Amino acid sequence: MRQWIAFLLFFSGLACAHSSSSPPLLGNIPGRKTTSLDGAWHVIIDPYETGLHARFYENATSETPGAGPIEYNFEASETLNVPGDWNTQKEKLFFYEGPVWYERRFSYKRHENRRVFVYFGAANYFARVYLNGKPLGEHEGGFTPFNFEVTSTLAEGENFLVVEVNNARRADAVPALNTDWWNYGGLTRDVLLVEVPEAFVRDYSVQLATGAQGEIAGWVQVDGSTRPQTVTVEIPVAGIRKTFSPDAGGRVEFHFPAKLDLWSPENPKLYDVVISCGADTVHDSIGFRTIEVKGTQIVINGKPTFLRGISMHEEAPERGGRAYSTQDAQTLFDWAKELGCNLVRLTHYPHNENEVRLADRLGLLLWSEIPVYWNIAWQNPATLANAESQLRDMIARDHNRAAVIFWSLSNETPLDPDRLIFLQKLAEDARQLDSTRLITSAMNHVTEAGPNKRILDDPLGESLDVLGLNEYLGWYGGHPEDADRRQWESKYAKPLIVSEFGGEAPYGKHGDASVPWTEEYQANLYVHQLAMIRKIPGFAGVCPWVLMDFHSPRRLLPGIQDYYNRKGLVSNTGQHKLAFNVLQKFYREMKDSASK
Ligand code: GCB
């Protein structure tokens, strides 16, 4: 009983500290002092969440005074690699959804006048974090980074970090109960200790002012009680060095002229940008470009640009499971480049920061999205707060990346007044957090205007800069040839991107083009879809579904799907299907006609 009361008191305290994860902190900054905590972590698989009241986070042993019988032992438990999902590391965990406790020991040498943060690239889905038996806080949301300050909790010498990660699905979560991707659990991205001076650069934005090619607009946020008098922003190769004084809140805002080589898919030029304040200096590689909408066109650096896209999940080629390395991202982006893409739609959640940084170097434009997917609890204020913090953290992490041109709020959400209020709030937030990028959403609500005419008709369109349309004519209903007669319109005179279309075929299954599940059927569907899509008024780009086959718990057809969504243009082991060539040919034509 006593144990239960203590447990309840402890967690009611923790509940108050729900958002005790510190404000966003840029983690993977080149030049910042970090210590990796990646590698083998001991784990306890705990389906009944026994570890909460048995206090696994204390890491007690039978020698601990008053401990009584101890029914867990991290040291004697199995290990999992971090970063990595648990589902594909151990066969017994393939379908597991629930709590797993992770433990990692490390030694640390403290330095005077330094602050230390523990930084998690992502934990899917819910995490409680403890250092040396003390709770640091918790975090909800499986794809965004979070951090806790540990300056006063770190011990000189040996330390132990315990993280409970729980990927149980919940109706009030984001995403909710139903998705068409695998719910990979675990510490799926890097874990770092980040060391900074007492006063440090917590965040910054150094970007071109909206639509202005010769002017930088930005801000720096300094954190720390005794703040240095000045903040310096430099772009050494462009001969830029500006000094500013932070206000009482540690913030600096600036505008200054700059003559820079613009970043574009053809010329992904990145500049070394140096921000210093007192003892802290960060270096970032930043590209500068503008992105605007003019009528129904998307305009990059003043030039109307047709978006030759592809959608992709963050699924590792060959190995399977959640992708986490730059090599995983390189393989996927190489295929996107081979297709002739200039845009990748990163579905349906924020992907790894290393992927976004690679796109910056390769000159691939990105559509970045939060997992507001299908139906979620639109009326629940906690669900909205959760979606808002996932949006905030996605933007906070990537707002200096030239590659990212779209923040996407949602995918295929049903028409409903509460849903509209919810998404309008997200659109407002996104604009406030970053006025330099375009806001979009993938929608699928159409009205029929005659047998062959469909109108994209979703009131959310009012709040967006760019409209995304998902449609599956020829797969979920109709035949590929029906596309020859289908006409499209949109209620809003804004750029329209067909953000999904596709059909399934396992690699190597051949047959007549009229037989579904064959590569020939999939290729034929692409031929008719692309011919239809290019006639859509306001057509500004296309992102077919999907680059590579991916694991999904909803795809059960034996011998064909076997828990894979097979709409990939490439199989999960890298073989190119016939439809790959169809899209590649279309993109060559679009590229040629744009350069004429
Ligand atoms: C969709 C969803 C996507 C699915 C896809 C499919 O509309 O946006 O997440 O995987 O259809 O394959 O059905």
Side-chain angles (χ1 to χ4, degrees):
M1 183 65 183
R2 244 189 38 224
Q3 203 184 26
W4 271 104
I5 292 172
F7 162 68
L8 287 173
L9 286 175
F10 174 76
F11 275 97
S12 57
L14 200 58
C16 300
H18 179 74
S19 45
S20 60
S21 117
S22 310
L25 165 92
L26 300 168
N28 294 324
I29 297 177
R32 183 148 267 170
K33 186 169 174 347
T34 57
T35 309
S36 170
L37 295 181
D38 288 351
W41 289 53
H42 286 285
V43 292
I44 300 175
I45 301 152
D46 181 20
Y48 281 27
E49 216 170 23
T50 305
L52 266 189
H53 68 261
R55 305 184 195 210
F56 285 4
Y57 48 87
E58 286 181 346
N59 219 344
T61 63
S62 46
E63 281 100 66
T64 309
I70 305 292
E71 296 188 62
Y72 68 95
N73 181 345
F74 278 110
E75 285 297 281
S77 298
E78 58 197 314
T79 62
L80 279 171
N81 196 56
V82 173
D85 63 80
W86 61 58
N87 313 72
T88 57
Q89 291 191 57
K90 292 190 191 290
E91 211 181 331
K92 67 179 175 190
L93 293 179
F94 188 61
F95 290 101
Y96 183 73
E97 295 185 305
V100 171
W101 293 81
Y102 283 73
E103 188 250 18
R104 171 78 145 86
R105 291 174 192 211
F106 61 94
S107 65
Y108 201 76
K109 188 166 166 21
R110 294 174 65 94
H111 298 108
E112 278 303 299
N113 307 322
R114 306 291 284 178
R115 293 167 69 186
V116 188
F117 293 80
V118 59
Y119 176 92
F120 295 84
N124 191 40
Y125 167 82
F126 182 79
R128 291 192 171 99
V129 184
Y130 309 81
L131 180 64
N132 299 331
K134 298 196 185 76
L136 298 176
E138 44 189 55
H139 180 263
E140 180 159 1
F143 302 95
T144 40
F146 56 99
N147 68 90
F148 303 96
E149 180 155 10
V150 293
T151 313
S152 57
T153 328
L154 265 181
E156 179 73 28
E158 286 307 298
N159 289 270
F160 65 95
L161 188 59
V162 172
V163 187
E164 182 200 6
V165 184
N166 190 342
N167 71 336
R169 286 169 293 130
R170 297 195 328 251
D172 66 337
V174 180
L177 298 173
N178 215 354
T179 64
D180 188 24
W181 71 83
W182 209 264
N183 181 22
Y184 293 120
L187 293 174
T188 51
R189 296 185 188 155
D190 297 325
V191 182
L192 304 171
L193 289 174
V194 181
E195 203 179 281
V196 294
E198 299 246 289
F200 71 101
V201 174
R202 188 178 270 284
D203 196 359
Y204 51 85
S205 165
V206 185
Q207 298 281 286
L208 291 183
T210 311
Q213 291 186 14
E215 190 188 350
I216 286 186
W219 49 267
V220 175
Q221 181 63 51
V222 180
D223 186 307
S225 47
T226 47
R227 287 192 204 103
Q229 304 290 302
T230 57
V231 168
T232 306
V233 177
E234 291 168 83
I235 309 181
V237 296
I240 293 170
R241 185 172 200 281
K242 305 275 172 194
T243 300
F244 309 95
S245 305
D247 67 13
R251 193 171 170 94
V252 161
E253 298 200 2
F254 48 79
H255 267 267
F256 54 81
K259 238 177 134 355
L260 298 162
D261 247 1
L262 299 184
W263 183 101
S264 69
E266 299 75 36
N267 176 36
K269 165 85 184 159
L270 298 174
Y271 285 89
D272 178 32
V273 176
V274 191
I275 300 170
S276 16
C277 103
D280 197 23
T281 301
V282 294
H283 284 259
D284 203 352
S285 297
I286 299 184
F288 297 93
R289 53 109 195 87
T290 60
I291 175 88
E292 295 159 282
V293 158
K294 289 212 171 110
T296 57
Q297 288 181 322
I298 289 170
V299 177
I300 299 177
N301 299 332
K303 187 174 137 210
T305 306
F306 175 76
L307 298 174
R308 306 183 304 272
I310 190 71
S311 304
M312 72 176 221
H313 268 290
E314 191 177 39
E315 178 109 355
E318 296 284 345
R319 181 183 78 241
R322 184 63 69 227
Y324 54 72
S325 67
T326 305
Q327 185 51 54
D328 293 335
Q330 182 78 53
T331 306
L332 294 162
F333 285 163
D334 281 348
W335 291 329
K337 284 264 180 190
E338 192 185 340
L339 274 170
C341 294
N342 58 7
L343 171 77
V344 178
R345 176 178 174 214
L346 303 180
T347 57
H348 280 302
Y349 38 75
H351 288 208
N352 202 309
E353 182 173 356
N354 57 27
E355 202 175 291
V356 179
R357 285 185 176 271
L358 181 63
D360 250 9
R361 298 196 289 276
L362 295 178
L364 279 168
L365 300 162
L366 297 178
W367 160 316
S368 190
E369 155 171 339
I370 50 169
V372 174
Y373 183 86
W374 291 348
N375 216 358
I376 67 168
W378 307 112
Q379 291 182 339
N380 185 336
T383 305
L384 175 60
N386 177 357
E388 286 186 283
S389 59
Q390 295 196 42
L391 180 71
R392 178 200 67 169
D393 293 346
M394 170 176 77
I395 295 178
R397 195 193 69 182
D398 292 340
H399 61 175
N400 288 301
R401 304 282 72 81
V404 179
I405 54 169
F406 298 140
W407 300 126
S408 175
L409 309 176
S410 60
N411 180 76
E412 292 189 356
T413 49
L415 279 200
D416 168 298
D418 293 317
R419 164 269 197 183
L420 189 59
I421 295 168
F422 187 111
L423 295 180
Q424 280 168 341
K425 180 71 175 74
L426 293 184
E428 258 170 51
D429 289 359
R431 288 217 161 78
Q432 213 186 2
L433 289 163
D434 178 8
S435 60
T436 70
R437 288 178 177 76
L438 305 177
I439 312 296
T440 191
S441 262
M443 299 172 287
N444 62 344
H445 191 265
V446 294
T447 50
E448 291 191 15
N452 292 317
K453 193 157 177 183
R454 298 290 179 276
I455 302 177
L456 172 62
D457 183 10
D458 181 330
L460 176 62
E462 188 77 48
S463 311
L464 305 175
D465 301 310
V466 173
L467 313 169
L469 166 67
N470 291 0
E471 55 83 19
Y472 279 89
L473 180 61
W475 187 251
Y476 298 122
H479 300 282
E481 288 72 16
D482 296 343
D484 304 347
R485 292 176 295 281
R486 179 62 51 91
Q487 292 175 317
W488 289 90
E489 266 178 26
S490 159
K491 211 170 152 198
Y492 303 98
K494 298 187 178 186
L496 186 149
I497 296 183
V498 176
S499 35
E500 287 182 28
F501 77 84
E504 293 195 45
Y507 171 76
K509 185 168 168 53
H510 292 288
D512 193 85
S514 62
V515 181
W517 306 105
T518 62
E519 281 196 50
E520 285 75 6
Y521 185 98
Q522 188 193 34
N524 183 48
L525 184 147
Y526 268 67
V527 169
H528 291 276
Q529 276 277 348
L530 293 169
M532 172 192 82
I533 287 171
R534 68 191 307 169
K535 294 187 286 207
I536 299 179
F539 171 50
V542 56
C543 286
W545 190 255
V546 60
L547 181 63
M548 190 185 81
D549 292 351
F550 60 95
H551 263 125
S552 165
R554 303 164 50 85
R555 306 294 170 175
L556 311 172
L557 189 63
I560 291 198
Q561 294 178 310
D562 303 311
Y563 295 107
Y564 275 96
N565 183 316
R566 299 283 183 197
K567 295 192 186 72
L569 294 174
V570 174
S571 74
N572 50 300
T573 48
Q575 295 108 330
H576 293 26
K577 304 182 194 172
L578 296 175
F580 187 100
N581 306 332
V582 178
L583 187 63
Q584 189 183 50
K585 183 164 164 279
F586 175 74
Y587 282 164
R588 283 194 188 130
E589 282 166 27
M590 294 307 282
K591 198 173 172 193
D592 289 350
S593 64
S595 59
K596 273 178 199 143

